[in-house]
């Protein structure tokens, strides 16, 4: 009886997209508590703790080029440089760059969770546990109790409800003959179930610039932090999902979803064939009655401090791209899925025992490929727009570096650049006079 | 409870490292966090593979030589003390004013020691001399396939000719220092912390 009341209170508002205000109140209380805790921690600490990942990094890095740096190094060299410019101090440039990257690099930090400015009373984010005061410890203990004994069971029930309704509902809707009514019911069903799931995470989402919402027949691209991104976006509209066919529970959900409205699921073997993939996406997008497809061009989860290289595949299809930026507030819960460290189940449990998931979603104005612009440049342009809106660092590095090695061609490019300084010849063909 | 990186570093260790390297307390804890994040095997020591996982270092033409500088002769693992000792070479010289200790001997980040770090990059067999062959090998690392053997050879010959004062066709450390005496080593071989 108790459970059905709770369910009624959550399902009905979910269907109509209304909020009863519980989450808002909860977040307000949480913010006040965390501010208070931060003050107490600061007061109690003798050595001020500085967070590890400051926005400007921990070391000073110049932004001059290899050529500028080496020319400056050589300025102090006593001997005139003739016929082949090399000095023993050239290595200093590479030494310094190498040591700088050992102390701090732009890539490896993106594959682990962001460090917080002040502790948010979760054990998992505790870097230096010192006993601060009885009051903070009590609040922390209370937090543990609330999160694990009250919120967790509630959230599991909600998530289970949302998912099972999704499976059952879509299967039932699939029986109906294809028609406008069927589409509308399917949309409503999808949105309701995703909203229930979002409540299962205590998600508070701010959607900005709704006038730019992705339209049918378009392609929606967003930065990727976790599988939860799908729930976040699907709370405000219906998308056709794109992904690999899975087995088990995920596979079951995928099979039932596709019964009520078209999604694009690929077999593992199909994914290898880029042309086949592109063709299927193109066919889907060409049909203006189908929902916009949702793609994450980074190809892997990044920790929401930066946007990494966008794979060009989605940008070659030739349709309007609707970029979306998603930024989570790490104070309430770390949304990043570190798949090397946590399995999906462990990750979801961590999500459900966090305080909440608070995030901002910005819909950016649609972008199209310009004349003479190739897919890679187009992808980079979209990536920059998303990074700029979300306040994320715009990186050219490939998210695949999470697991794989960097390509030799980057080192070869460095060697080529240095070689042109030594030989005085611009290796792209023309002759160049080097500065002495 | 909160078994994270910094809690594994004891205050006594921090004090010792402070004395030996001159880094400040906060710099040491931050570098320990970095060390810990690079240590994928979580065994308190870094291997060469751990360094190579840093993409910006992997594409550095002298990446392997720089990584090598961290590992003492014949060893495959470097612990945090060794890591800090090598990084200490790159502390700015101005920072020394704060920790003036008359008995500490030459600090790790002195001009001499910075030059020694660079010298060792060339001295592949650690025999305190840079031979023509070693110079060629390092040059080859820096230019890749873009310069012919002949041109590289003549560059190496000229470099040794300019530096070699005692005629043994190789560059000793003192000859190395002499050639580079006007170069602003302190500025070019230093890393500035923002805090």
């Amino acid at each position: 009886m108790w459970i059905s009341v709770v369910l009624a209170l959550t399902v009905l508002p979910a269907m109509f997209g209304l909020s009863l205000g519980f989450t808002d109140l909860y977040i307000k209380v949480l913010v006040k508590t965390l501010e208070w805790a931060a003050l107490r921690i600061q007061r109690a600490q003798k050595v001020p703790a500085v967070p590890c990942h400051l926005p400007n990094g921990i070391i000073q890095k110049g932004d001059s080029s290899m050529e500028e740096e080496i020319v400056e190094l050589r300025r102090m060299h006593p001997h005139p440089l003739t016929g082949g410019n090399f000095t023993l101090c050239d290595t200093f440039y590479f030494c310094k760059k190498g040591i700088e990257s050992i102390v701090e690099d732009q890539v490896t930090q993106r594959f682990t969770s962001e460090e917080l400015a002040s502790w948010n009373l979760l054990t998992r984010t505790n870097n230096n546990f010192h006993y601060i005061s009885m009051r903070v410890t009590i609040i922390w203990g209370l937090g543990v109790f609330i999160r694990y004994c009250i919120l967790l069971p509630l959230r599991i029930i909600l998530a289970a409800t949302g998912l099972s309704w999704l499976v059952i509902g879509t299967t039932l809707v699939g029986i109906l003959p294809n028609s406008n009514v069927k589409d509308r019911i399917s949309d409503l069903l999808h949105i309701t179930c995703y909203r229930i799931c979002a409540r299962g995470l205590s998600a508070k989402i701010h959607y900005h610039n709704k006038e730019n919402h992705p339209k049918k027949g378009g392609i929606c691209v967003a930065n990727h932090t976790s599988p939860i991104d799908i729930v976040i976006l699907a709370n405000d509209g219906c998308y056709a999902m794109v992904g690999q066919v899975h087995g088990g529970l995920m596979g079951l959900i995928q099979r039932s979803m596709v019964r009520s409205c078209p999604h694009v699921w690929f077999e593992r073997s199909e994914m290898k064939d880029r042309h086949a993939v592109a063709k299927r996406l193109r066919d889907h997008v060409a049909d203006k009655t189908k929902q916009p497809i949702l793609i994450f061009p980074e190809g892997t989860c990044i920790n929401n401090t930066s946007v990494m290289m966008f794979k060009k595949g989605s940008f070659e299809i030739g349709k309007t791209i609707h970029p979306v930026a998603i930024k989570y507030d790490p104070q309430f819960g770390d949304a990043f899925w570190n798949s090397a460290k946590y399995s999906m189940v462990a990750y979801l449990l961590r999500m459900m025992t966090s305080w909440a998931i608070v995030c901002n979603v910005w819909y950016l104005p649609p972008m199209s490929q310009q004349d003479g612009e190739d897919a890679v440049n187009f992808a980079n342009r979209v990536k920059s727009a998303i990074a700029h809106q979300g306040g994320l660092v715009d990186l050219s590095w490939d998210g695949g570096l999470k697991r794989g090695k960097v390509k030799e061609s980057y080192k070869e490019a460095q060697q080529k650049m240095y070689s042109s300084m030594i030989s005085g010849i611009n290796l792209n063909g023309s002759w160049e006079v080097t500065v002495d | 409870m909160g078994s994270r990186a910094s809690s594994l570093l004891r205050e006594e260790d921090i004090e010792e490292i402070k004395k030996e390297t001159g880094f400040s307390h906060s710099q040491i804890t931050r570098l320990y966090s970095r060390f810990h994040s690079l240590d994928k095997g979580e065994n308190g020591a870094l291997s060469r593979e751990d360094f190579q996982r840093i993409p910006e270092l992997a594409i550095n033409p002298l990446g392997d030589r720089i990584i090598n500088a961290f590992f003492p002769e014949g060893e495959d693992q470097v612990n945090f003390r060794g890591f800090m000792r090598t990084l200490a070479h790159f502390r700015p010289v101005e920072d020394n004013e704060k920790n003036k200790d008359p008995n500490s001997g030459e600090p790790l980040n002195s001009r001499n020691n910075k030059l020694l770090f660079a010298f060792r990059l060339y001295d592949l067999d650690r025999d305190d001399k840079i031979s023509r062959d070693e110079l060629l090998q390092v040059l080859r690392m820096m230019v890749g396939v873009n310069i012919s053997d002949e041109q590289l050879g003549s560059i190496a010959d000229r470099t040794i000719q300019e530096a070699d004062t005692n005629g043994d066709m190789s560059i000793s450390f003192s000859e190395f220092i002499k050639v580079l005496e006007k170069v602003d080593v302190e500025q070019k071989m230093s890393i500035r912390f923002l805090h």
Side-chain angles (χ1 to χ4, degrees), chain B residues 47-48 73 125 168:
Chain B
S47 66
R48 287 189 168 80
E73 186 78 51
D125 59 5
D168 63 353

PDB file of all heavy atoms in Angstrom, chain B residues 47-48 73 125 168:
ATOM      1  N   SER B  47      56.648   1.669 -13.592  1.00  0.00           N
ATOM      2  CA  SER B  47      57.469   0.986 -14.579  1.00  0.00           C
ATOM      3  C   SER B  47      57.551   1.872 -15.815  1.00  0.00           C
ATOM      4  O   SER B  47      56.861   2.892 -15.905  1.00  0.00           O
ATOM      5  CB  SER B  47      56.820  -0.342 -14.958  1.00  0.00           C
ATOM      6  OG  SER B  47      55.592  -0.073 -15.618  1.00  0.00           O
ATOM      7  N   ARG B  48      58.362   1.477 -16.779  1.00  0.00           N
ATOM      8  CA  ARG B  48      58.480   2.266 -18.007  1.00  0.00           C
ATOM      9  C   ARG B  48      57.138   2.359 -18.735  1.00  0.00           C
ATOM     10  O   ARG B  48      56.809   3.393 -19.315  1.00  0.00           O
ATOM     11  CB  ARG B  48      59.540   1.670 -18.921  1.00  0.00           C
ATOM     12  CG  ARG B  48      60.953   1.922 -18.421  1.00  0.00           C
ATOM     13  CD  ARG B  48      62.005   1.522 -19.460  1.00  0.00           C
ATOM     14  NE  ARG B  48      63.316   2.023 -19.097  1.00  0.00           N
ATOM     15  CZ  ARG B  48      64.131   1.469 -18.205  1.00  0.00           C
ATOM     16  NH1 ARG B  48      63.752   0.369 -17.596  1.00  0.00           N
ATOM     17  NH2 ARG B  48      65.311   2.007 -17.927  1.00  0.00           N
ATOM     18  N   GLU B  73      70.575   2.600 -12.806  1.00  0.00           N
ATOM     19  CA  GLU B  73      71.181   1.567 -13.636  1.00  0.00           C
ATOM     20  C   GLU B  73      70.605   0.188 -13.341  1.00  0.00           C
ATOM     21  O   GLU B  73      70.641  -0.290 -12.212  1.00  0.00           O
ATOM     22  CB  GLU B  73      72.694   1.549 -13.381  1.00  0.00           C
ATOM     23  CG  GLU B  73      73.473   0.618 -14.287  1.00  0.00           C
ATOM     24  CD  GLU B  73      73.687   1.206 -15.673  1.00  0.00           C
ATOM     25  OE1 GLU B  73      74.162   2.357 -15.721  1.00  0.00           O
ATOM     26  OE2 GLU B  73      73.388   0.544 -16.672  1.00  0.00           O
ATOM     27  N   ASP B 125      75.697   5.084 -22.677  1.00  0.00           N
ATOM     28  CA  ASP B 125      76.267   3.977 -21.922  1.00  0.00           C
ATOM     29  C   ASP B 125      76.776   4.406 -20.553  1.00  0.00           C
ATOM     30  O   ASP B 125      77.452   3.633 -19.872  1.00  0.00           O
ATOM     31  CB  ASP B 125      77.389   3.296 -22.724  1.00  0.00           C
ATOM     32  CG  ASP B 125      78.501   4.289 -23.075  1.00  0.00           C
ATOM     33  OD1 ASP B 125      78.437   5.457 -22.612  1.00  0.00           O
ATOM     34  OD2 ASP B 125      79.420   3.920 -23.820  1.00  0.00           O
ATOM     35  N   ASP B 168      89.953  14.191 -27.701  1.00  0.00           N
ATOM     36  CA  ASP B 168      89.696  12.750 -27.622  1.00  0.00           C
ATOM     37  C   ASP B 168      88.455  12.347 -28.424  1.00  0.00           C
ATOM     38  O   ASP B 168      87.928  11.254 -28.257  1.00  0.00           O
ATOM     39  CB  ASP B 168      89.541  12.305 -26.154  1.00  0.00           C
ATOM     40  CG  ASP B 168      88.336  12.977 -25.487  1.00  0.00           C
ATOM     41  OD1 ASP B 168      87.713  13.875 -26.092  1.00  0.00           O
ATOM     42  OD2 ASP B 168      88.015  12.597 -24.347  1.00  0.00           O
TER      43      ASP B 168
END
